[in-house]
Amino acid sequence: MARDDGWGNFVSTTLKAKEFPLVRSNVWGSVSDSDWNDWSWQLRNRIQNLEQLESRLPLTPEERAGTILAGKKLALGITPHFFSLIDRNDPNCPIRRQVVPRIEESNTAPDEMLDPCGEDSHMPVPGLVHRYPDRVLLLVTDRCASYCRYCTRSRVVSGAGEQELTVDLEGAFSYLEKHPEVRDVLLSGGDPLLLSDAKLDAILTRLRKIPSIEFIRIGTRIPIFLPQRITPELVSMLKIHHPLWMSVHSNHPKEMTQEVREALGRLADAGIPLGNQSVLLKGVNDRAEVLKELFHKLLLCRVRPYYLYQCDLITGSAHLRTTIREGQEIMEQLRGHTTGYAVPTYVVDGPGGGGKIPVGPNYIVGMADDRVILKNYRGDVYEYPEIGQSSVADLRG
Ligand SMILES: *Cc1c(COP(=O)(O)O)cnc(C)c1O
């Protein structure tokens, strides 16, 4: 059941949909349900230029100037589905801040980098990042359904910047055959679920022929940006390649619509364990209540919050970054205050190529040879006595 909210948005009235609303803006006029629910229609009708954006959303001067410049750095791209979540009357809408370009993107703050995670220098084969001993990141495409303005890989993603992503898939497969220490492959990009079912199937089938590859996962924001892409056909292809895990990317509770919940449900029903990666973003999700609501909704969709990322030092991101201290304060308001499954690990990707580093907060107040001083979620202090060398001797008699 659905009703019009008076603004031309169709809002479902069932109870379960109250938490996961079906929101369809009328900015596309009289599009049929079958078109709207068709992922190729969603892709064809993405917002990709100033004219398309401005005709549907009154822009601020900062957004207008940012959009004109976007074609030179990271393209503008927003699916109708995600665009519908924007509050057109709120220039600070958290959905809007994630995908509508702003002029601040063309400022380079001190310490910002084009390749903040130092990936290019860890690529033994084009498209394959091998930083950790037993796992690799395989970038299979440079395109996404929509473009996040804080994209850590904006140097190569979207086709707008100067650098192009080159991917040597055959080279990557033979590298993996020669490196049996790699047991875990993470497909990313760009968004791997933008590939056709056949192409993705071919990549997964080829990886499954390498005996040392145990664990495969896909990093994707498609279930959030383009939930229509999670078709029954895609899901039945994916489940042939088990054990297959998936990390999705959501940042704000408004993203958890009914379509998204159904798409995540199809993946979970296929036995694909789901994790979520969020990026801590100023003005989007930098309050504990906002993240708590998001994480609770994810649990209801059978998605385990996996990482909360400190925003990388990507060029032009200063207006979206918080401090690490603020991130720690938010984490302190979550850990112990809500379900442990709802609390992700807060990490910083070490600038220049350090990999993911957990940044607390820290619950150890002090350590001595014979005891550890701890604090709990309320700040009360506890002592855990350590078994020292002398007490081990005592135990032995
Ligand atoms: C994030 C990442 C991984 C996966 O790390 P996990 O902590 O296992 O999720 C692997 N390789 C690279 C280069 C990464 O950035």
mmCIF file of all heavy atoms in Angstrom, residues 8-31:
data_model
loop_
_atom_site.group_PDB
_atom_site.id
_atom_site.type_symbol
_atom_site.label_atom_id
_atom_site.label_comp_id
_atom_site.label_asym_id
_atom_site.label_seq_id
_atom_site.Cartn_x
_atom_site.Cartn_y
_atom_site.Cartn_z
ATOM 1 N N GLY A 8 4.303 14.647 -3.785
ATOM 2 C CA GLY A 8 4.495 13.826 -4.977
ATOM 3 C C GLY A 8 5.334 12.600 -4.701
ATOM 4 O O GLY A 8 5.703 11.873 -5.608
ATOM 5 N N ASN A 9 5.682 12.358 -3.445
ATOM 6 C CA ASN A 9 6.430 11.158 -3.110
ATOM 7 C C ASN A 9 5.459 10.077 -2.687
ATOM 8 O O ASN A 9 4.534 10.330 -1.922
ATOM 9 C CB ASN A 9 7.394 11.423 -1.949
ATOM 10 C CG ASN A 9 8.472 12.405 -2.332
ATOM 11 O OD1 ASN A 9 8.952 12.377 -3.456
ATOM 12 N ND2 ASN A 9 8.845 13.263 -1.415
ATOM 13 N N PHE A 10 5.682 8.874 -3.164
ATOM 14 C CA PHE A 10 4.842 7.772 -2.764
ATOM 15 C C PHE A 10 5.450 7.123 -1.538
ATOM 16 O O PHE A 10 6.590 6.692 -1.563
ATOM 17 C CB PHE A 10 4.692 6.773 -3.910
ATOM 18 C CG PHE A 10 3.959 7.388 -5.060
ATOM 19 C CD1 PHE A 10 4.652 7.846 -6.164
ATOM 20 C CD2 PHE A 10 2.592 7.560 -5.004
ATOM 21 C CE1 PHE A 10 3.984 8.452 -7.211
ATOM 22 C CE2 PHE A 10 1.922 8.160 -6.049
ATOM 23 C CZ PHE A 10 2.614 8.613 -7.161
ATOM 24 N N VAL A 11 4.716 7.114 -0.477
ATOM 25 C CA VAL A 11 5.236 6.590 0.774
ATOM 26 C C VAL A 11 4.380 5.397 1.164
ATOM 27 O O VAL A 11 3.162 5.507 1.274
ATOM 28 C CB VAL A 11 5.179 7.664 1.880
ATOM 29 C CG1 VAL A 11 5.777 7.130 3.160
ATOM 30 C CG2 VAL A 11 5.902 8.920 1.445
ATOM 31 N N SER A 12 5.034 4.288 1.385
ATOM 32 C CA SER A 12 4.287 3.100 1.763
ATOM 33 C C SER A 12 3.714 3.276 3.159
ATOM 34 O O SER A 12 4.303 3.919 4.023
ATOM 35 C CB SER A 12 5.207 1.887 1.729
ATOM 36 O OG SER A 12 4.492 0.785 2.179
ATOM 37 N N THR A 13 2.541 2.709 3.378
ATOM 38 C CA THR A 13 1.880 2.919 4.664
ATOM 39 C C THR A 13 1.909 1.680 5.547
ATOM 40 O O THR A 13 1.365 1.693 6.638
ATOM 41 C CB THR A 13 0.407 3.303 4.436
ATOM 42 O OG1 THR A 13 -0.159 2.357 3.547
ATOM 43 C CG2 THR A 13 0.292 4.690 3.853
ATOM 44 N N THR A 14 2.507 0.594 5.065
ATOM 45 C CA THR A 14 2.550 -0.582 5.924
ATOM 46 C C THR A 14 3.572 -0.356 7.032
ATOM 47 O O THR A 14 4.501 0.418 6.891
ATOM 48 C CB THR A 14 2.933 -1.838 5.133
ATOM 49 O OG1 THR A 14 4.175 -1.586 4.506
ATOM 50 C CG2 THR A 14 1.899 -2.176 4.094
ATOM 51 N N LEU A 15 3.384 -1.050 8.142
ATOM 52 C CA LEU A 15 4.242 -0.828 9.301
ATOM 53 C C LEU A 15 5.701 -1.122 8.996
ATOM 54 O O LEU A 15 6.581 -0.341 9.289
ATOM 55 C CB LEU A 15 3.757 -1.679 10.479
ATOM 56 C CG LEU A 15 4.597 -1.537 11.754
ATOM 57 C CD1 LEU A 15 4.512 -0.116 12.294
ATOM 58 C CD2 LEU A 15 4.158 -2.534 12.806
ATOM 59 N N LYS A 16 5.948 -2.281 8.356
ATOM 60 C CA LYS A 16 7.351 -2.624 8.124
ATOM 61 C C LYS A 16 8.001 -1.630 7.178
ATOM 62 O O LYS A 16 9.187 -1.390 7.232
ATOM 63 C CB LYS A 16 7.502 -4.065 7.630
ATOM 64 C CG LYS A 16 7.138 -4.293 6.201
ATOM 65 C CD LYS A 16 7.440 -5.729 5.798
ATOM 66 C CE LYS A 16 7.105 -5.907 4.329
ATOM 67 N NZ LYS A 16 7.064 -7.269 3.902
ATOM 68 N N ALA A 17 7.172 -1.022 6.336
ATOM 69 C CA ALA A 17 7.744 -0.048 5.414
ATOM 70 C C ALA A 17 7.939 1.308 6.073
ATOM 71 O O ALA A 17 8.559 2.194 5.509
ATOM 72 C CB ALA A 17 6.862 0.082 4.192
ATOM 73 N N LYS A 18 7.401 1.474 7.279
ATOM 74 C CA LYS A 18 7.579 2.744 7.947
ATOM 75 C C LYS A 18 9.058 2.969 8.256
ATOM 76 O O LYS A 18 9.579 4.062 8.124
ATOM 77 C CB LYS A 18 6.751 2.747 9.236
ATOM 78 C CG LYS A 18 6.566 4.115 9.804
ATOM 79 C CD LYS A 18 5.582 4.101 10.964
ATOM 80 C CE LYS A 18 5.888 5.261 11.872
ATOM 81 N NZ LYS A 18 5.905 4.892 13.272
ATOM 82 N N GLU A 19 9.723 1.884 8.643
ATOM 83 C CA GLU A 19 11.144 1.989 8.920
ATOM 84 C C GLU A 19 11.983 1.964 7.657
ATOM 85 O O GLU A 19 13.095 2.447 7.641
ATOM 86 C CB GLU A 19 11.560 0.814 9.798
ATOM 87 C CG GLU A 19 10.993 0.921 11.186
ATOM 88 C CD GLU A 19 12.070 0.851 12.229
ATOM 89 O OE1 GLU A 19 13.207 1.243 11.924
ATOM 90 O OE2 GLU A 19 11.767 0.398 13.321
ATOM 91 N N PHE A 20 11.470 1.326 6.620
ATOM 92 C CA PHE A 20 12.203 1.192 5.364
ATOM 93 C C PHE A 20 11.299 1.714 4.249
ATOM 94 O O PHE A 20 10.721 0.957 3.500
ATOM 95 C CB PHE A 20 12.568 -0.281 5.112
ATOM 96 C CG PHE A 20 13.505 -0.832 6.135
ATOM 97 C CD1 PHE A 20 13.005 -1.458 7.278
ATOM 98 C CD2 PHE A 20 14.877 -0.734 5.989
ATOM 99 C CE1 PHE A 20 13.857 -1.957 8.248
ATOM 100 C CE2 PHE A 20 15.740 -1.237 6.951
ATOM 101 C CZ PHE A 20 15.228 -1.848 8.083
ATOM 102 N N PRO A 21 11.132 3.027 4.158
ATOM 103 C CA PRO A 21 10.103 3.566 3.274
ATOM 104 C C PRO A 21 10.390 3.324 1.799
ATOM 105 O O PRO A 21 11.539 3.245 1.379
ATOM 106 C CB PRO A 21 10.114 5.062 3.592
ATOM 107 C CG PRO A 21 11.455 5.327 4.164
ATOM 108 C CD PRO A 21 11.902 4.073 4.837
ATOM 109 N N LEU A 22 9.301 3.198 1.077
ATOM 110 C CA LEU A 22 9.376 3.125 -0.369
ATOM 111 C C LEU A 22 9.179 4.559 -0.833
ATOM 112 O O LEU A 22 8.076 5.084 -0.767
ATOM 113 C CB LEU A 22 8.257 2.220 -0.872
ATOM 114 C CG LEU A 22 8.161 1.932 -2.361
ATOM 115 C CD1 LEU A 22 9.335 1.083 -2.811
ATOM 116 C CD2 LEU A 22 6.866 1.211 -2.646
ATOM 117 N N VAL A 23 10.239 5.196 -1.250
ATOM 118 C CA VAL A 23 10.132 6.601 -1.614
ATOM 119 C C VAL A 23 10.407 6.746 -3.095
ATOM 120 O O VAL A 23 11.453 6.361 -3.578
ATOM 121 C CB VAL A 23 11.122 7.473 -0.822
ATOM 122 C CG1 VAL A 23 10.998 8.926 -1.237
ATOM 123 C CG2 VAL A 23 10.881 7.336 0.655
ATOM 124 N N ARG A 24 9.442 7.255 -3.786
ATOM 125 C CA ARG A 24 9.645 7.469 -5.223
ATOM 126 C C ARG A 24 9.245 8.895 -5.532
ATOM 127 O O ARG A 24 8.096 9.263 -5.422
ATOM 128 C CB ARG A 24 8.787 6.477 -5.989
ATOM 129 C CG ARG A 24 8.521 6.947 -7.397
ATOM 130 C CD ARG A 24 9.115 6.131 -8.465
ATOM 131 N NE ARG A 24 8.470 4.874 -8.667
ATOM 132 C CZ ARG A 24 7.490 4.678 -9.550
ATOM 133 N NH1 ARG A 24 7.004 5.665 -10.261
ATOM 134 N NH2 ARG A 24 7.005 3.478 -9.719
ATOM 135 N N SER A 25 10.226 9.693 -5.890
ATOM 136 C CA SER A 25 9.936 11.093 -6.161
ATOM 137 C C SER A 25 9.262 11.236 -7.517
ATOM 138 O O SER A 25 9.482 10.449 -8.424
ATOM 139 C CB SER A 25 11.244 11.859 -6.133
ATOM 140 O OG SER A 25 11.055 13.116 -6.667
ATOM 141 N N ASN A 26 8.448 12.274 -7.656
ATOM 142 C CA ASN A 26 7.766 12.478 -8.939
ATOM 143 C C ASN A 26 8.609 13.260 -9.932
ATOM 144 O O ASN A 26 8.115 13.681 -10.956
ATOM 145 C CB ASN A 26 6.424 13.180 -8.720
ATOM 146 C CG ASN A 26 6.622 14.620 -8.276
ATOM 147 O OD1 ASN A 26 7.731 15.034 -7.938
ATOM 148 N ND2 ASN A 26 5.550 15.382 -8.285
ATOM 149 N N VAL A 27 9.903 13.470 -9.606
ATOM 150 C CA VAL A 27 10.720 14.286 -10.500
ATOM 151 C C VAL A 27 10.933 13.626 -11.858
ATOM 152 O O VAL A 27 11.365 14.269 -12.798
ATOM 153 C CB VAL A 27 12.092 14.665 -9.894
ATOM 154 C CG1 VAL A 27 11.916 15.710 -8.827
ATOM 155 C CG2 VAL A 27 12.812 13.453 -9.375
ATOM 156 N N TRP A 28 10.602 12.334 -11.978
ATOM 157 C CA TRP A 28 10.692 11.676 -13.280
ATOM 158 C C TRP A 28 9.342 11.604 -13.981
ATOM 159 O O TRP A 28 9.161 10.863 -14.918
ATOM 160 C CB TRP A 28 11.309 10.278 -13.153
ATOM 161 C CG TRP A 28 12.773 10.359 -13.380
ATOM 162 C CD1 TRP A 28 13.433 10.195 -14.564
ATOM 163 C CD2 TRP A 28 13.773 10.673 -12.418
ATOM 164 N NE1 TRP A 28 14.766 10.416 -14.394
ATOM 165 C CE2 TRP A 28 15.016 10.707 -13.090
ATOM 166 C CE3 TRP A 28 13.753 10.966 -11.061
ATOM 167 C CZ2 TRP A 28 16.211 10.996 -12.445
ATOM 168 C CZ3 TRP A 28 14.936 11.253 -10.420
ATOM 169 C CH2 TRP A 28 16.149 11.266 -11.115
ATOM 170 N N GLY A 29 8.388 12.361 -13.454
ATOM 171 C CA GLY A 29 7.093 12.389 -14.112
ATOM 172 C C GLY A 29 6.424 11.039 -14.038
ATOM 173 O O GLY A 29 6.442 10.387 -13.000
ATOM 174 N N SER A 30 5.884 10.601 -15.162
ATOM 175 C CA SER A 30 5.004 9.441 -15.122
ATOM 176 C C SER A 30 5.722 8.152 -15.499
ATOM 177 O O SER A 30 5.219 7.380 -16.298
ATOM 178 C CB SER A 30 3.842 9.681 -16.073
ATOM 179 O OG SER A 30 4.388 9.951 -17.355
ATOM 180 N N VAL A 31 6.884 7.941 -14.958
ATOM 181 C CA VAL A 31 7.587 6.684 -15.259
ATOM 182 C C VAL A 31 6.780 5.498 -14.717
ATOM 183 O O VAL A 31 6.225 5.554 -13.628
ATOM 184 C CB VAL A 31 9.025 6.719 -14.703
ATOM 185 C CG1 VAL A 31 9.032 7.070 -13.238
ATOM 186 C CG2 VAL A 31 9.736 5.381 -14.908
#
